[in-house]
Amino acid sequence: GESVGLHLPTLSVQEGDNSIINCAYSNSASDYFIWYKQESGKGPQFIIDIRSNMDKRQGQRVTVLLNKTVKHLSLQIAATQPGDSAVYFCAENGGRGSNYKLTFGKGTLLTVNP
Amino acid sequence: KAGVTQTPRYLIKTRGQQVTLSCSPISGHRSVSWYQQTPGQGLQFLFEYFSETQRNKGNFPGRFSGRQFSNSRSEMNVSTLELGDSALYLCASSLVQGHYEQYFGPGTRLTVT
């Protein structure tokens, strides 16, 4: 069935290092992907998105890479800071066939050590 | 610009009761989506409203319903509450239909006893 999964449930990095959070998706019809950050006690916060006609998109300190061949999505955070500690979710929209229903991964907990 | 607001923030209900949650989107946003978040199932899409019409629906029973008003504010209703309905209910708004660049509220924590 359709699913969005994350390779690693937890990731621990040192402050200043780069972080890479991975996500596998199974619905090849998805044409829009999003990364969210959720801090404890808060709702998810939009980080960056990418459409399926792109393979890379950059934001402020973040880069999303999309590899449609292997159905893989990654979020790279440069110079990770303690404030980046949170759960990160990827999501896919399922494409027209699913009427663009958003499906989320289970999340990766990123811990940044000072 | 004010963010998405949800009321109430916390709610305790008893099995069999019903509950109504409210969401006010960011000014100018016309799409409102609702999600349920639980430790076991993660974030699951409930439904999306745009211009007062439900445009999309997730795989939830008919006990879960919603509506959107002309000012884009939305309400979600859950009837005949079950213990498994205990969750964080999140609302998100965006300018256009289809989840593009949507912004979430802080959620309503519902506990069913």
Side-chain angles (χ1 to χ4, degrees), chain B residues 3 15 22 27 43-44 46 62 70 100 103 109 113:
Chain B
R15 269 182 302 176
S22 180
S27 178
L43 265 163
Q44 293 184 288
L46 279 157
S70 58
Y100 301 105
Y103 295 86
R109 172 72 64 186
T113 62

Side-chain angles (χ1 to χ4, degrees), chain B residues 17-29:
Chain B
Q17 289 185 315
Q18 74 163 10
V19 66
T20 299
L21 312 181
S22 180
C23 171
S24 292
I26 291 172
S27 178
H29 284 195

Side-chain angles (χ1 to χ4, degrees), chain A residues 99, chain B residues 30-31 48-50 55-56 94-100:
Chain A
N99 199 24
Chain B
R30 295 171 60 194
S31 170
E48 178 188 14
Y49 285 87
F50 182 81
R55 303 290 178 157
N56 209 340
S94 59
L95 276 170
V96 299
Q97 181 185 348
H99 314 294
Y100 301 105

Side-chain angles (χ1 to χ4, degrees), chain B residues 1-110:
Chain B
K1 183 184 280 190
V4 178
T5 57
Q6 292 185 246
T7 56
R9 292 293 312 279
Y10 302 92
L11 205 50
I12 300 175
K13 289 286 189 178
T14 304
R15 269 182 302 176
Q17 289 185 315
Q18 74 163 10
V19 66
T20 299
L21 312 181
S22 180
C23 171
S24 292
I26 291 172
S27 178
H29 284 195
R30 295 171 60 194
S31 170
V32 173
S33 296
W34 288 89
Y35 299 86
Q36 181 195 67
Q37 187 174 30
T38 60
Q41 298 299 318
L43 265 163
Q44 293 184 288
F45 170 70
L46 279 157
F47 27 67
E48 178 188 14
Y49 285 87
F50 182 81
S51 294
E52 302 178 65
T53 302
Q54 188 180 91
R55 303 290 178 157
N56 209 340
K57 190 177 189 301
N59 299 322
F60 279 82
R63 300 185 296 108
F64 291 82
S65 63
R67 59 177 176 168
Q68 186 180 35
F69 302 95
S70 58
N71 61 359
S72 294
R73 191 177 69 85
S74 178
E75 287 182 347
M76 191 194 98
N77 184 276
V78 187
S79 62
T80 319
L81 284 166
E82 300 176 0
L83 294 178
D85 296 333
S86 294
L88 180 67
Y89 289 89
L90 292 156
C91 159
S93 75
S94 59
L95 276 170
V96 299
Q97 181 185 348
H99 314 294
Y100 301 105
E101 200 168 335
Q102 60 183 0
Y103 295 86
F104 281 80
T108 294
R109 172 72 64 186
L110 172 65

Side-chain angles (χ1 to χ4, degrees), chain A residues 5-111:
Chain A
L6 292 162
H7 293 311
L8 296 173
T10 62
L11 178 65
S12 183
V13 300
Q14 291 298 122
E15 181 179 357
D17 287 352
N18 296 334
S19 302
I20 299 176
I21 302 172
N22 296 302
C23 175
Y25 67 94
S26 60
N27 191 342
S28 57
S30 290
D31 59 14
Y32 179 66
F33 304 86
I34 316 151
W35 280 101
Y36 289 97
K37 170 188 179 183
Q38 187 173 25
E39 297 173 278
S40 181
K42 298 183 179 179
Q45 175 188 349
F46 174 89
I47 301 173
I48 192 168
D49 57 5
I50 188 168
R51 294 181 186 264
S52 59
N53 60 354
M54 304 172 68
D55 53 21
K56 180 179 180 179
R57 189 165 188 222
Q58 289 183 292
Q60 187 177 13
R61 282 201 306 117
V62 294
T63 300
V64 56
L65 299 178
L66 175 63
N67 185 331
K68 294 181 287 294
T69 302
V70 295
K71 298 179 188 172
H72 185 268
L73 193 67
S74 69
L75 177 70
Q76 300 178 0
I77 305 173
T80 315
Q81 304 167 359
D84 294 327
S85 294
V87 177
Y88 289 81
F89 295 95
C90 64
E92 59 173 328
N93 77 345
R96 180 175 293 184
S98 76
N99 199 24
Y100 304 107
K101 290 180 183 178
L102 207 59
T103 303
F104 287 81
K106 294 299 184 185
T108 291
L109 173 62
L110 174 66
T111 302

